[in-house]
Amino acid sequence: MGMLDGKVVMITGGSRGQGRAHALTSAREGADVLIVDVTEEVENLPTTTSYALATAQDMATTVKEVEALGRRIVAVPADVRIQADLNAAVAQGIEQLGQIDVLIANAGIHSLAPFWEMTDESWEDMIAINLSGVWRSAKAVAPHMIERQTGSIVMISSVNGLEAGPNYSHYTAAKHGVVGLMKTVALELAPHGVRCNAIHPGAVRSGMTDNQAAWDMYAGHPGGTIDDLVSAGRHYGALKGTTFMPADTIANAALFLNSNLASTITGISLPVEAGHLLIPGVNAAPVD
């Protein structure tokens, strides 16, 4: 018996990283899966990130790994900035898998710049994907869940939805916005038996964090290495022995929220960050 037996889980940004972890964890627990992500087939991809976005090969790998677990999967190249793409993906998922019980709104990007140097394009891409894309994803599944009078939505925010972050004001603004969106969606869908919650990941090792620009940020200078990432992660959490967490950590939290164990939990923010938010703040570089 799996925790999601008989369910269908839709995951945006499902081709790799945290998205792939959500897909595999859901499949291991008995769910069929619908993944939505950008690939080379999707035009007008954001150009402001410091790392490569998902590819068709990434999507194909996730499909293969879910199928190896004996579950069905539908993979749709789509852009969360475009409502018609998401509506079509939902329709395809329902047609091929029967229904959609769960949405994990996971798609997101990250980039770095002081707010006064940030380009309009960088700001607009971030808000369009990390905030508006979450709204559009929920909007796409809501009529189906309302019709069925059941469902669970998990919105992936960040610890930066609860605290500030230097050099990514656009990311922090978007992730704070997800919290307000989640609470309102939870309130509006509660009379229809649909739950909505948010997860706030801390330091997670993925393509978004494990790249040269991120290494340089953690090192505090150009030429950073993977060792700088691991070292920074050790300073990030309060729990002994923790550094950047595997993506499965976040997938396990979503599994709980989407399962019957959380059947009366809605409208909450769940930090998964090894105790990062417990650490008293200090100014490591005071200016006289």
Side-chain angles (χ1 to χ4, degrees):
M1 294 290 292
M3 294 174 69
L4 298 177
D5 279 349
K7 306 283 189 184
V8 175
V9 178
M10 175 178 174
I11 303 151
T12 65
S15 291
R16 66 176 189 179
Q18 287 188 46
R20 181 180 291 165
H22 288 301
L24 295 178
T25 297
S26 298
R28 288 189 193 102
E29 291 296 330
D32 294 326
V33 177
L34 166 65
I35 61 170
V36 175
D37 212 334
V38 296
T39 68
E40 295 97 333
E41 302 168 42
V42 177
E43 297 179 356
N44 302 315
L45 299 180
T47 58
T48 54
T49 62
S50 58
Y51 56 93
L53 299 179
T55 66
Q57 183 57 52
D58 291 327
M59 181 175 277
T61 297
T62 300
V63 168
K64 182 177 179 180
E65 292 185 8
V66 168
E67 289 177 339
L69 294 170
R71 305 311 308 173
R72 296 182 296 166
I73 179 169
V74 174
V76 183
D79 189 334
V80 297
R81 296 172 297 177
I82 301 172
Q83 191 68 55
D85 279 11
L86 290 165
N87 293 346
V90 167
Q92 187 174 341
I94 294 169
E95 179 182 1
Q96 296 188 35
L97 300 174
Q99 78 263 0
I100 296 174
D101 301 281
V102 171
L103 166 67
I104 303 175
N106 165 79
I109 61 171
H110 189 272
S111 61
L112 296 170
F115 78 89
W116 62 89
E117 296 177 1
M118 198 172 286
T119 65
D120 286 358
E121 180 184 29
S122 181
W123 178 273
E124 289 164 4
D125 278 345
M126 187 67 65
I127 300 301
I129 293 169
N130 289 24
L131 177 55
S132 298
V134 176
W135 165 63
R136 292 187 187 281
S137 300
K139 184 180 177 182
V141 300
H144 175 67
M145 290 183 174
I146 290 170
E147 180 181 6
R148 299 182 67 234
Q149 292 289 287
T150 186
S152 175
I153 297 172
V154 169
M155 298 178 174
I156 305 301
S157 178
S158 166
V159 290
N160 294 116
L162 302 171
E163 66 176 10
N167 295 320
Y168 38 95
S169 59
H170 51 350
Y171 183 84
T172 300
K175 294 300 189 178
H176 272 73
V178 168
V179 178
L181 174 64
M182 175 274 293
K183 290 182 178 180
T184 302
V185 169
L187 181 64
E188 292 183 4
L189 290 182
H192 302 285
V194 179
R195 300 182 297 108
C196 183
N197 296 289
I199 295 175
H200 297 268
V204 178
R205 189 165 178 177
S206 69
M208 184 181 288
T209 58
D210 196 358
N211 59 74
Q212 189 61 57
W215 297 349
D216 292 350
M217 179 182 71
Y218 300 129
H221 55 74
T225 69
I226 186 65
D227 290 339
D228 293 306
L229 179 144
V230 172
S231 177
R234 287 179 176 146
H235 291 277
Y236 194 82
L239 281 175
K240 177 182 178 181
T242 55
T243 179
F244 275 73
M245 302 177 294
D248 289 350
T249 307
I250 310 305
N252 287 335
L255 171 63
F256 164 71
L257 288 174
N258 290 324
S259 75
N260 289 335
L261 294 175
S263 62
T264 57
I265 296 175
T266 194
I268 71 159
S269 288
L270 176 61
V272 183
E273 33 64 277
H276 166 75
L277 294 169
L278 297 172
I279 299 172
V282 296
N283 186 351
V287 177
D288 292 333

